[in-house]
Amino acid sequence: MTVGVLAVQGDVREHVRVLERLGVAVRPVLRPEHLKGLAGIVLPGGESTAMWRLMGPTGLGDALRRELREGLPALGTCAGMILLAREITNWPERYLGVLDIAVERNATGRQVDSFETTLSADGLGELPAVFIRAPLVRRTGPGVTVLARWGEAPVLVREGRVLGASFHPELTGDTRVHGLFLELCKERR
Ligand code: GLN
Protein backbone atom coordinates (compact mmCIF):
# COMPACT_ATOMS: atom_id res chain seq x y z
CA MET A 1 0.00 0.00 0.00
CA THR A 2 1.43 3.37 -0.99
CA VAL A 3 0.20 6.56 0.62
CA GLY A 4 0.94 10.03 -0.72
CA VAL A 5 1.96 13.16 1.14
CA LEU A 6 1.29 16.45 -0.62
CA ALA A 7 4.81 17.83 -0.82
CA VAL A 8 4.58 21.31 -2.35
CA GLN A 9 5.09 23.07 1.01
CA GLY A 10 4.73 22.47 4.75
CA ASP A 11 5.79 19.83 7.28
CA VAL A 12 6.03 16.99 4.77
CA ARG A 13 8.93 15.15 6.38
CA GLU A 14 7.20 14.81 9.74
CA HIS A 15 4.21 13.08 8.13
CA VAL A 16 6.45 10.82 6.04
CA ARG A 17 8.27 9.74 9.20
CA VAL A 18 5.04 8.81 11.03
CA LEU A 19 3.64 6.90 8.05
CA GLU A 20 6.89 4.97 7.54
CA ARG A 21 6.90 4.08 11.23
CA LEU A 22 3.45 2.58 10.65
CA GLY A 23 4.88 0.42 7.88
CA VAL A 24 3.51 1.90 4.67
CA ALA A 25 5.34 3.08 1.57
CA VAL A 26 5.16 6.86 1.12
CA ARG A 27 5.29 8.91 -2.06
CA PRO A 28 5.76 12.69 -2.08
CA VAL A 29 3.11 14.26 -4.32
CA LEU A 30 4.25 17.24 -6.39
CA ARG A 31 2.56 16.69 -9.74
CA PRO A 32 -0.73 15.13 -10.93
CA GLU A 33 0.95 11.91 -12.11
CA HIS A 34 2.09 11.21 -8.55
CA LEU A 35 -1.54 10.57 -7.55
CA LYS A 36 -1.69 7.40 -9.60
CA GLY A 37 -2.41 4.26 -7.59
CA LEU A 38 -2.33 5.90 -4.16
CA ALA A 39 -4.35 4.35 -1.32
CA GLY A 40 -4.76 7.74 0.33
CA ILE A 41 -3.14 11.15 0.72
CA VAL A 42 -2.01 13.33 3.60
CA LEU A 43 -2.24 17.10 3.26
CA PRO A 44 0.25 18.53 5.77
CA GLY A 45 0.33 21.66 7.86
CA GLY A 46 2.04 24.72 6.48
CA GLU A 47 0.50 27.67 4.67
CA SER A 48 -2.67 26.86 2.77
CA THR A 49 -2.50 29.91 0.49
CA ALA A 50 1.07 29.09 -0.56
CA MET A 51 0.27 25.42 -1.07
CA TRP A 52 -2.61 26.25 -3.36
CA ARG A 53 -0.54 28.71 -5.41
CA LEU A 54 2.10 26.04 -5.90
CA MET A 55 -0.48 23.44 -6.96
CA GLY A 56 -2.12 25.59 -9.62
CA PRO A 57 0.42 25.71 -12.47
CA THR A 58 0.90 21.92 -12.63
CA GLY A 59 -2.83 21.14 -12.47
CA LEU A 60 -2.29 19.23 -9.22
CA GLY A 61 -5.13 21.06 -7.42
CA ASP A 62 -7.74 20.06 -10.00
CA ALA A 63 -6.41 16.50 -10.30
CA LEU A 64 -6.44 16.05 -6.53
CA ARG A 65 -10.00 17.39 -6.28
CA ARG A 66 -11.08 14.86 -8.90
CA GLU A 67 -9.44 11.97 -7.00
CA LEU A 68 -11.00 13.06 -3.71
CA ARG A 69 -14.43 13.26 -5.29
CA GLU A 70 -13.92 9.71 -6.53
CA GLY A 71 -13.25 8.57 -2.97
CA LEU A 72 -9.51 8.89 -2.36
CA PRO A 73 -9.10 8.78 1.45
CA ALA A 74 -7.41 11.87 2.92
CA LEU A 75 -6.03 13.26 6.14
CA GLY A 76 -5.67 17.05 6.22
CA THR A 77 -3.89 18.58 9.19
CA CYS A 78 -4.11 22.30 9.95
CA ALA A 79 -3.42 24.02 6.58
CA GLY A 80 -4.31 20.66 5.01
CA MET A 81 -7.75 20.80 6.59
CA ILE A 82 -8.19 24.33 5.23
CA LEU A 83 -7.43 22.98 1.75
CA LEU A 84 -10.12 20.31 2.16
CA ALA A 85 -12.83 22.57 3.62
CA ARG A 86 -15.94 23.60 1.70
CA GLU A 87 -15.86 27.07 3.22
CA ILE A 88 -13.36 29.41 4.86
CA THR A 89 -15.25 31.93 6.99
CA ASN A 90 -12.58 34.64 7.01
CA TRP A 91 -10.96 34.21 3.62
CA PRO A 92 -12.34 34.90 0.13
CA GLU A 93 -11.07 31.69 -1.50
CA ARG A 94 -11.90 28.06 -1.23
CA TYR A 95 -9.64 25.30 -2.41
CA LEU A 96 -10.55 21.61 -2.76
CA GLY A 97 -13.97 22.03 -1.14
CA VAL A 98 -14.56 18.30 -0.54
CA LEU A 99 -15.06 18.25 3.26
CA ASP A 100 -18.39 19.73 4.34
CA ILE A 101 -17.13 22.06 7.04
CA ALA A 102 -16.57 25.79 7.43
CA VAL A 103 -13.24 26.71 9.01
CA GLU A 104 -11.91 29.93 10.44
CA ARG A 105 -8.24 30.38 9.53
CA ASN A 106 -5.73 31.33 12.23
CA ALA A 107 -8.50 31.03 14.83
CA THR A 108 -6.08 30.21 17.67
CA GLY A 109 -4.03 33.37 17.09
CA ARG A 110 -0.47 33.95 15.95
CA GLN A 111 2.62 31.73 15.92
CA VAL A 112 3.53 32.91 19.45
CA ASP A 113 0.11 31.75 20.68
CA SER A 114 0.92 28.11 19.77
CA PHE A 115 0.11 25.60 22.50
CA GLU A 116 -0.05 21.93 23.33
CA THR A 117 -2.99 20.28 25.04
CA THR A 118 -4.71 16.94 25.53
CA LEU A 119 -7.88 16.11 23.65
CA SER A 120 -10.33 13.34 24.22
CA ALA A 121 -11.10 11.76 20.85
CA ASP A 122 -13.88 9.31 20.07
CA GLY A 123 -12.44 5.88 19.45
CA LEU A 124 -8.86 7.05 20.01
CA GLY A 125 -8.82 8.15 23.66
CA GLU A 126 -6.66 10.89 25.17
CA LEU A 127 -4.59 12.51 22.46
CA PRO A 128 -1.73 15.04 22.71
CA ALA A 129 -2.38 17.90 20.30
CA VAL A 130 -0.22 20.81 19.12
CA PHE A 131 -2.03 23.89 17.79
CA ILE A 132 -0.09 26.38 15.62
CA ARG A 133 -2.08 29.24 14.04
CA ALA A 134 -4.77 26.63 13.81
CA PRO A 135 -8.06 26.69 11.93
CA LEU A 136 -11.14 25.93 14.04
CA VAL A 137 -14.27 24.36 12.64
CA ARG A 138 -17.25 26.72 12.81
CA ARG A 139 -19.84 24.61 10.99
CA THR A 140 -20.17 20.93 10.16
CA GLY A 141 -22.48 19.49 7.53
CA PRO A 142 -24.92 16.63 8.22
CA GLY A 143 -22.51 13.96 6.95
CA VAL A 144 -19.67 15.06 9.22
CA THR A 145 -18.81 13.30 12.48
CA VAL A 146 -16.98 15.28 15.18
CA LEU A 147 -14.34 13.04 16.78
CA ALA A 148 -12.79 15.63 19.12
CA ARG A 149 -13.42 19.14 20.34
CA TRP A 150 -11.29 21.84 21.91
CA GLY A 151 -13.77 23.72 24.06
CA GLU A 152 -16.84 24.08 21.85
CA ALA A 153 -15.02 23.88 18.54
CA PRO A 154 -14.63 20.65 16.59
CA VAL A 155 -10.92 19.99 15.95
CA LEU A 156 -10.98 16.44 14.57
CA VAL A 157 -13.70 15.59 12.06
CA ARG A 158 -14.53 12.84 9.63
CA GLU A 159 -16.73 12.71 6.56
CA GLY A 160 -16.63 9.34 4.85
CA ARG A 161 -12.97 8.56 4.28
CA VAL A 162 -11.78 12.13 4.74
CA LEU A 163 -10.31 13.27 8.06
CA GLY A 164 -9.58 16.85 9.08
CA ALA A 165 -7.54 17.90 12.11
CA SER A 166 -6.98 21.45 13.36
CA PHE A 167 -3.85 20.30 15.15
CA HIS A 168 -0.59 18.53 14.21
CA PRO A 169 -0.63 14.80 15.02
CA GLU A 170 2.66 14.48 13.12
CA LEU A 171 4.52 16.50 15.76
CA THR A 172 3.74 14.56 18.94
CA GLY A 173 5.08 11.05 18.35
CA ASP A 174 1.56 9.69 18.82
CA THR A 175 0.56 7.71 15.74
CA ARG A 176 -3.14 7.08 16.38
CA VAL A 177 -4.61 9.70 14.03
CA HIS A 178 -2.40 8.41 11.19
CA GLY A 179 -3.40 4.88 12.23
CA LEU A 180 -7.07 5.78 11.82
CA PHE A 181 -6.30 7.31 8.42
CA LEU A 182 -4.57 4.10 7.29
CA GLU A 183 -7.64 2.10 8.38
CA LEU A 184 -9.71 4.23 6.00
CA CYS A 185 -7.16 3.65 3.23
CA LYS A 186 -7.37 -0.13 3.74
CA GLU A 187 -11.19 -0.06 3.74
CA ARG A 188 -11.24 1.54 0.34
CA ARG A 189 -8.92 -0.98 -1.32
N1 GLN B 1 -2.51 29.42 9.38
C1 GLN B 1 -2.08 28.49 8.37
C2 GLN B 1 -2.94 28.60 7.11
O1 GLN B 1 -3.85 29.36 7.08
C3 GLN B 1 -2.15 27.08 8.91
C4 GLN B 1 -1.12 26.90 10.00
C5 GLN B 1 -0.57 25.53 10.11
O2 GLN B 1 -0.75 24.68 9.23
N2 GLN B 1 0.16 25.30 11.18
O3 GLN B 1 -2.71 27.92 6.15
Side-chain angles (χ1 to χ4, degrees), residues 9-11 44-51 77-83 88 91 95 104-107 109 111 114 130-135 165-168 170-171:
Q9 193 268 335
D11 65 340
E47 193 59 42
S48 50
T49 49
M51 285 182 196
T77 64
C78 205
M81 179 169 79
I82 297 172
L83 290 178
I88 307 169
W91 194 248
Y95 306 116
E104 179 187 341
R105 285 185 67 199
N106 303 322
Q111 197 82 12
S114 301
V130 178
F131 288 82
I132 304 167
R133 294 197 305 125
S166 298
F167 54 95
H168 291 272
E170 72 282 11
L171 297 182

Side-chain angles (χ1 to χ4, degrees), residues 13-153:
R13 221 173 326 157
E14 288 76 2
H15 279 286
V16 172
R17 218 171 282 145
V18 180
L19 292 163
E20 286 180 345
R21 253 180 76 195
L22 290 173
V24 289
V26 185
R27 183 194 301 156
V29 173
L30 284 153
R31 290 192 302 278
E33 57 267 32
H34 298 153
L35 294 168
K36 221 177 151 111
L38 292 180
I41 187 163
V42 172
L43 313 183
E47 193 59 42
S48 50
T49 49
M51 285 182 196
W52 191 253
R53 304 269 173 289
L54 293 166
M55 288 162 80
T58 60
L60 178 57
D62 291 335
L64 178 55
R65 185 187 292 113
R66 223 173 301 127
E67 291 286 335
L68 291 165
R69 284 197 179 138
E70 281 168 18
L72 182 70
L75 165 63
T77 64
C78 205
M81 179 169 79
I82 297 172
L83 290 178
L84 291 170
R86 183 153 302 172
E87 186 190 339
I88 307 169
T89 62
N90 55 345
W91 194 248
E93 295 178 299
R94 88 167 182 184
Y95 306 116
L96 297 163
V98 295
L99 174 57
D100 191 9
I101 57 174
V103 296
E104 179 187 341
R105 285 185 67 199
N106 303 322
T108 63
R110 302 169 53 187
Q111 197 82 12
V112 293
D113 305 314
S114 301
F115 64 96
E116 182 166 354
T117 186
T118 304
L119 303 171
S120 171
D122 272 5
L124 299 178
E126 303 276 291
L127 213 59
V130 178
F131 288 82
I132 304 167
R133 294 197 305 125
L136 290 174
V137 177
R138 298 307 189 196
R139 178 189 66 75
T140 56
V144 176
T145 307
V146 176
L147 299 175
R149 288 176 194 273
W150 177 65
E152 295 284 293

